[in-house]
Amino acid sequence: MCGFIAIYHFDETPVDKEKIQNAIKCIEHRGPDSLGVCIEGVNRNVALAHTRLSIIDLQGGAQPLKSASTSAVVNGEFYDYEKMRKSFAADGFKFTTNSDSEILFPLFEKYGVHCLQYLRGEFAFSLYDKKTKSLFVARDRFGIKPLYYYVDSKRLIIASEIKAILALGIAPQWNREAIYRFISRYVLDPEESFFKGINQLAPGHFMLISNRESVRARPYWDLDYNFAQPFLGTAEEAITEFSSLFEESVRLRLMADVPVGVYLSGGLDSNAVFAMASKLSVRPPKAFTIKFRDALYDESSIAIETAQGAGADITLLEVAENDLVDNFEKAIWHSEFCFTNTHGIAKFLLSRCVHDNGYKVVLTGEGSDELLAGYAHFRLDYLKENARDHQAYLQALDKISDANEISRGVIISKSKEKIPCLENKLGFTPEFFLAPEGSYEQVLLLFSGEFIKKHSTVDPFKHLLSKINLDAISQSDHMHRSMYLWTKTIFPNYLLNVLGDRMEMASSVEARLPFLDHYLVDFIQKIESGLKFKNGMDKYILRQSMKDLITPTIFNRQKHPFLAPPASINTNGVLFKFYKDVLHSDDFHDLNIFDIDQVEKTIKALASMSQDQKQAFDAVITSLVSLSLLGKKFKVT
């Protein structure tokens, strides 16, 4: 994995090479092994800069890459590239490196922008075509790798992280509408950031840019839950096919010129990845796991059981409240986003541990819950639509709620609210949007009256649905509609950031996600709900395909989301004291977003709230603390 910047001056003024060299250095953590810059265009108005984390072709894969007619910078991995290299080499293409990234050149030469259909992996890239004087920019199908851009009348700046754009002279300002939507209703726009004027290229999209008017994102891939071509085989055949595709995905992601480790928790997903990697390797991969002192949130004993049973080496990282406090600001700087829980900081620390142990690459289990309905709220959406009667649904809700103590109030609730816009467009309200509804009125009180008046004029859900391709779920059931919305919003914006790329790359660690191989996903999306959630068992097809490779403990264990113990659970602890200090600071006051008196009342009220209420409000309070620190670190106005 790497980081890059691309600049295109529409007015054809030359790019200042020294400025882009300085800007790329601020994301050098993404790739400390080498740094390169090239200036292109007749008038030197295009620039590509790259900072490299060497994993494939350690000595010869430096970037920017160049061919006779194109130059490119790539962040990420293209899998199964060897076959294409052999084919293109046989046709006469002259490769100058042994890296996977260079396969982009012959693919673009042959297929143009349609080359994206042939790329397999997690990636973001910018390619300059000298013939057409155009810049081709794309992001992988799920948004595993970040890609931000800023555009005005004179120039386009593209970068792997927002801080690189700011380093080129863009003044940091809040996108206050995005902040309102996120904190009040947990609504995330797939194209926005919290910084005004700095947008994301949405997952599965590309741009082909030759002038200011051509800066327009276009889709090249999407999930399709309309089941136009459903899988018609038996359950056993589906399990066999899934197992084969999953094995191939893990095998491809084990290929590297450096050692590959695994993030291991007590969950099915990481254990499935670890088990398959162990099956495909001469010896089991090294595992890394986190230990929390609160037993309700700690899964380390289960991870240790798995590793020891396989004869694998496992490194245990204990994370205490002091560690979270000491690293909060550093993690926020890397994420450029708000936390709702300190799990992102824990992941930041685990990635540092991986780096300190001499590893650059790890496999992770992200994506399984999104595609196989692993979260409890997806199961509730399914049951709400398919339960034999309302009483049966309420009984199932009680059972799931009781079994998911740490999720109550966070992503599952017993709210009976309905959100009109979602009911009208989707036919129901996805369960994960109902959790914030229980405290919505109280959360609104935290905002200043002036802020609410100015930024709450547009319904957040109406805004969200205007950015979503609802045709992809027009014929699907409720569970798949909910899965689609989650995968397009919270998954890339929050989970793949705060628990993914940004915390890993902060320590120059590349994460590879076998569940997000698009060949595997194309198969999964054809499978009906009944094979994803069957007989009360979540991720049924994954469990059945892996039952001979994982421990009985893992096979029988329900999904538990990765969360750190909330600060509000212990209002006398050092983490909660840190929260109070931040919320009493001048930096928080200077945001001019919140009603300071109401925030103070809420802080005091937390001590007497129920556990579920504390968990729900902790997510909000953590967001406020994060926003304050984000503003402080980047001097946002």
Side-chain angles (χ1 to χ4, degrees):
M1 297 298 179
C2 310
F4 68 77
I5 301 172
I7 299 177
Y8 193 116
H9 283 182
F10 304 125
D11 59 4
E12 296 192 343
T13 57
V15 174
D16 186 322
K17 186 174 182 178
E18 184 177 352
K19 285 184 178 179
I20 195 170
Q21 284 176 329
N22 291 333
I24 195 68
K25 288 177 182 177
C26 77
I27 56 170
E28 195 173 7
H29 51 272
R30 299 189 65 88
D33 295 330
S34 66
L35 186 151
V37 177
C38 72
I39 308 295
E40 299 287 3
V42 175
N43 295 306
R44 299 176 61 79
N45 64 308
V46 177
L48 302 174
H50 190 267
T51 184
R52 185 185 184 219
L53 180 65
S54 54
I55 290 169
I56 302 291
D57 188 11
L58 303 184
Q59 302 303 318
Q63 298 191 36
L65 296 164
K66 291 189 175 186
S67 72
S69 59
T70 48
S71 300
V73 282
V74 180
N75 170 28
E77 298 288 348
F78 299 144
Y79 299 116
D80 211 16
Y81 68 96
E82 298 94 334
K83 294 177 184 177
M84 288 185 283
R85 279 183 65 97
K86 289 180 181 178
S87 176
F88 283 121
D91 290 341
F93 185 86
K94 303 296 183 183
F95 290 97
T96 60
T97 77
N98 292 314
S99 75
D100 57 303
S101 297
E102 198 177 3
I103 197 66
L104 183 60
F105 286 153
L107 281 172
F108 179 73
E109 187 177 303
K110 184 173 183 177
Y111 299 109
V113 297
H114 300 292
C115 70
L116 291 163
Q117 304 301 328
Y118 299 88
L119 293 175
R120 182 178 191 174
E122 50 263 354
F123 57 82
F125 66 78
S126 291
L127 180 150
Y128 180 66
D129 183 353
K130 299 174 187 177
K131 296 177 183 176
T132 60
K133 299 180 181 179
S134 61
L135 194 64
F136 175 35
V137 182
R139 191 178 181 197
D140 67 67
R141 295 164 178 82
F142 301 98
I144 302 169
K145 305 317 299 175
L147 192 64
Y148 297 94
Y149 68 95
Y150 166 87
V151 62
D152 58 29
S153 61
K154 294 183 178 181
R155 60 179 172 170
L156 169 71
I157 305 173
I158 296 163
S160 299
E161 297 187 13
I162 292 170
K163 57 183 66 69
I165 295 177
L166 300 179
L168 287 163
I170 306 306
Q173 300 179 61
W174 290 121
N175 179 348
R176 294 176 182 267
E177 290 82 6
I179 290 170
Y180 168 75
R181 288 192 291 269
F182 175 68
I183 293 177
S184 67
R185 310 302 283 267
Y186 208 39
V187 169
L188 291 167
D189 186 315
E191 299 173 354
E192 284 185 334
S193 78
F194 283 163
F195 292 78
K196 187 176 182 179
I198 299 178
N199 295 313
Q200 301 183 71
L201 181 61
H205 281 67
F206 74 93
M207 295 192 292
L208 190 61
I209 302 141
S210 56
N211 51 50
R212 173 64 183 85
E213 289 68 35
S214 62
V215 181
R216 178 173 59 89
R218 290 180 273 178
Y220 68 88
W221 185 89
D222 199 2
L223 288 161
D224 184 357
Y225 283 132
N226 288 326
F227 297 100
Q229 295 179 309
F231 178 77
L232 300 175
T234 64
E236 289 74 20
E237 290 169 335
I239 291 166
T240 299
E241 179 67 9
F242 176 91
S243 182
S244 175
L245 289 167
F246 182 57
E247 180 173 334
E248 180 188 33
S249 178
V250 174
R251 178 183 60 80
L252 289 172
R253 284 159 179 79
L254 285 170
M255 298 181 68
D257 294 335
V258 295
V260 178
V262 176
Y263 282 142
L264 187 62
S265 70
L268 172 62
D269 309 329
S270 66
N271 275 264
V273 170
F274 174 80
M276 186 59 76
S278 298
K279 174 186 174 182
L280 296 170
S281 305
V282 175
R283 57 168 296 172
K286 182 175 175 62
F288 299 88
T289 196
I290 288 173
K291 177 178 177 59
F292 293 121
R293 293 177 182 176
D294 187 329
L296 188 61
Y297 294 84
D298 181 42
E299 299 181 329
S300 61
S301 62
I302 304 173
I304 290 170
E305 176 189 335
T306 293
Q308 289 180 343
D313 182 21
I314 183 167
T315 293
L316 179 69
L317 177 69
E318 184 168 348
V319 176
E321 283 196 348
N322 282 325
D323 301 313
L324 299 173
V325 170
D326 292 344
N327 290 278
F328 206 126
E329 287 195 29
K330 296 172 189 173
I332 280 292
W333 184 80
H334 282 285
S335 74
E336 302 169 342
F337 202 78
C338 283
F339 298 158
T340 59
N341 180 269
T342 54
H343 52 188
I345 309 169
K347 191 69 176 288
F348 170 81
L349 292 168
L350 185 62
S351 298
R352 181 193 293 171
C353 175
V354 168
H355 177 271
D356 291 345
N357 274 265
Y359 278 73
K360 289 183 175 182
V361 181
V362 289
L363 304 187
T364 80
E366 274 80 19
S368 173
D369 291 311
E370 283 66 27
L371 300 164
L372 292 166
Y375 290 117
H377 52 81
F378 293 148
R379 303 199 296 276
L380 289 173
D381 290 322
Y382 176 86
L383 291 167
K384 190 179 291 185
E385 184 177 22
N386 293 286
R388 63 181 182 274
D389 55 44
H390 186 60
Q391 187 60 36
Y393 166 73
L394 292 178
Q395 290 174 352
L397 172 59
D398 286 340
K399 185 177 180 180
I400 289 175
S401 181
D402 290 343
N404 290 270
E405 184 176 349
I406 68 174
S407 298
R408 292 200 299 264
V410 182
I411 52 177
I412 60 172
S413 74
K414 293 187 178 181
S415 172
K416 296 179 181 179
E417 297 287 337
K418 292 184 178 181
I419 298 173
C421 178
L422 299 178
E423 293 284 335
N424 181 44
K425 289 288 187 178
L426 302 176
F428 78 115
T429 300
E431 193 71 24
F432 71 87
F433 279 130
L434 286 178
E437 287 301 295
S439 55
Y440 171 61
E441 295 297 332
Q442 295 97 315
V443 171
L444 279 188
L445 294 175
L446 300 178
F447 292 105
S448 71
E450 182 180 350
F451 183 86
I452 287 286
K453 183 178 180 180
K454 188 172 183 179
H455 300 290
S456 64
T457 55
V458 177
D459 183 335
F461 298 105
K462 184 176 181 180
H463 171 87
L464 172 63
L465 295 182
S466 72
K467 300 294 186 75
I468 299 294
N469 176 25
L470 295 178
D471 290 340
I473 50 174
S474 60
Q475 305 300 316
S476 67
D477 60 13
H478 288 185
M479 187 178 84
H480 283 105
R481 292 182 183 190
S482 183
M483 290 164 61
Y484 183 84
L485 285 173
W486 178 276
T487 304
K488 292 296 178 180
T489 58
I490 293 170
F491 187 48
N493 282 25
Y494 188 87
L495 296 177
L496 290 177
N497 173 344
V498 171
L499 295 178
D501 173 87
R502 309 304 278 283
M503 298 302 101
E504 291 143 356
M505 292 304 291
S507 295
S508 308
V509 173
E510 169 180 296
R512 297 178 172 184
L513 289 66
F515 285 109
L516 294 184
D517 184 277
H518 77 275
Y519 286 92
L520 177 62
V521 172
D522 285 345
F523 172 71
I524 292 172
Q525 66 184 359
K526 296 176 182 178
I527 299 173
E528 63 179 11
S529 301
L531 282 179
K532 294 170 183 171
F533 176 47
K534 185 174 182 178
N535 300 329
M537 181 180 288
D538 63 271
K539 293 181 279 198
Y540 176 82
I541 190 170
L542 173 60
R543 290 183 191 273
Q544 295 300 324
S545 70
M546 298 300 297
K547 66 180 179 180
D548 293 333
L549 296 178
I550 58 178
T551 66
T553 300
I554 296 300
F555 182 82
N556 294 308
R557 190 168 187 258
Q558 270 201 16
K559 166 67 184 180
H560 290 260
F562 172 59
L563 292 169
S568 304
I569 297 301
N570 178 14
T571 53
N572 294 316
V574 295
L575 183 58
F576 193 73
K577 181 182 182 302
F578 171 75
Y579 277 23
K580 289 193 293 185
D581 289 344
V582 171
L583 296 176
H584 291 146
S585 70
D586 291 341
D587 294 309
F588 182 69
H589 290 204
D590 291 345
L591 290 173
N592 293 319
I593 293 176
F594 302 104
D595 184 318
I596 303 302
D597 291 337
Q598 286 294 337
V599 172
E600 180 64 22
K601 288 179 183 178
T602 301
I603 294 172
K604 291 179 179 178
L606 278 167
S608 60
M609 288 183 181
S610 69
Q611 183 87 347
D612 291 1
Q613 288 175 320
K614 283 183 178 181
Q615 290 176 172
F617 264 97
D618 188 82
V620 177
I621 297 300
T622 304
S623 296
L624 268 58
V625 171
S626 301
L627 197 66
S628 180
L629 295 175
L630 198 61
K632 174 185 175 183
K633 295 297 287 184
F634 288 97
K635 297 180 173 59
V636 192
T637 59

